[in-house]
Amino acid sequence: MANTSNFRQAIREAQSQNLVGPNVISNALPFVGGGLILTAVGTFGGLQVLQSNPGLFMTTFWVALIGELALFFIARGIAEKGNNNVALPLLATYSLLSGYTLSGLVFVALSTQGVGIGGVGFAALGCGVTFIATRQIGSNLSEEDGMALTKTVSLGIIALLVAVVGQVIFSFFGVYTPSWLEIGISGIGVFLFAGAAVVDFYILPRTYRDDQYIPAALSMYLTYINLFIFILRLLIAINSRD
């Protein structure tokens, strides 16, 4: 019995020997939840503006998008230096702006037959299920498997970003993505960000100390926001087929 106990202890120590922040994820979770709530508030505000004054929404959308991108890099840099008191209000503002820019997609989802509020709820539920399912997997990956998955997902997300940027550029010239291709891109996006959720549970405790919970929270926030976006895009694409 004692030998079994010692053996299990040895396994736990071997699994945690490369961790620099074994509690960083649990420390980050309240801030991830708070960020998602603020995003919902920003989305609701954006929907109100979009319904009452679409012209104003488009102007403020671009302002919010530029501010969101700037805040992301500023807040992440400050958070990684350990200045959580300054980074926190910046990240709260970032979450609100992220919700505002997301409201356009949510509006399309609500207006699409077969998606609606049920589809938005399904996308949110999908993020929650992914969190529960990936937590155990990511926390127990071996060093070799964890690094391999991290590299694969990172390369996949870069390729996905190139595809999405290409979609945006072509749309300015009136060239829109066929429904079958949009389904494919969105499905790959769901798959990749589900993989990113696994990677978070593996890589964050090996990257950030326990007191660096703000940058860890930002990483997890981005994973689940993007997962939500691609699930919603997939539902819209499936229900908008000609």
Side-chain angles (χ1 to χ4, degrees):
M1 194 71 179
N3 289 338
T4 302
S5 177
N6 292 338
F7 178 69
R8 289 175 178 172
Q9 179 65 24
I11 291 176
R12 283 194 293 269
E13 290 176 355
Q15 289 177 331
S16 63
Q17 64 182 358
N18 294 320
L19 303 185
V20 296
N23 299 310
V24 69
I25 289 180
S26 58
N27 293 343
L29 286 179
F31 299 95
V32 178
L36 293 174
I37 291 172
L38 289 173
T39 300
V41 172
T43 301
F44 180 78
L47 288 173
Q48 298 304 305
V49 176
L50 185 55
Q51 291 172 345
S52 61
N53 194 333
L56 177 62
F57 173 79
M58 289 310 302
T59 301
T60 53
F61 171 85
W62 290 110
V63 173
L65 182 61
I66 293 170
E68 179 185 347
L69 292 173
L71 277 176
F72 169 76
F73 292 105
I74 294 170
R76 186 177 67 172
I78 292 173
E80 289 184 346
K81 292 177 181 177
N83 198 339
N84 293 333
N85 291 331
V86 176
L88 190 56
L90 294 177
L91 288 174
T93 306
Y94 171 81
S95 299
L96 284 169
L97 292 177
S98 179
Y100 192 87
T101 57
L102 183 60
S103 58
L105 178 65
V106 174
F107 180 80
V108 173
L110 294 173
S111 305
T112 302
Q113 185 175 4
V115 183
I117 189 65
V120 175
F122 178 82
L125 178 63
C127 293
V129 171
T130 300
F131 173 83
I132 294 170
T134 57
R135 184 170 192 172
Q136 188 68 21
I137 298 171
S139 300
N140 290 286
L141 284 175
S142 67
E143 194 75 20
E144 183 179 353
D145 291 341
M147 292 307 299
L149 181 62
T150 300
K151 292 177 181 178
T152 301
V153 170
S154 298
L155 290 173
I157 289 177
I158 291 172
L160 180 66
L161 179 61
V162 171
V164 171
V165 170
Q167 282 184 298
V168 173
I169 293 173
F170 280 121
S171 68
F172 282 120
F173 297 97
V175 180
Y176 295 98
T177 307
S179 59
W180 60 269
L181 184 56
E182 174 64 17
I183 291 172
I185 292 174
S186 300
I188 291 171
V190 172
F191 179 76
L192 285 173
F193 281 103
V198 177
V199 168
D200 278 344
F201 285 106
Y202 169 78
I203 204 72
L204 293 181
R206 290 167 170 80
T207 304
Y208 297 113
R209 301 186 308 272
D210 286 345
D211 61 339
Q212 292 179 303
Y213 48 84
I214 296 296
L218 178 59
S219 178
M220 296 181 71
Y221 171 86
L222 289 173
T223 295
Y224 290 103
I225 281 295
N226 280 289
L227 180 60
F228 174 83
I229 288 172
F230 279 101
I231 293 175
L232 209 53
R233 282 183 52 162
L234 181 60
L235 293 175
I236 293 169
I238 290 173
N239 286 278
S240 301
R241 287 181 298 177
D242 297 330

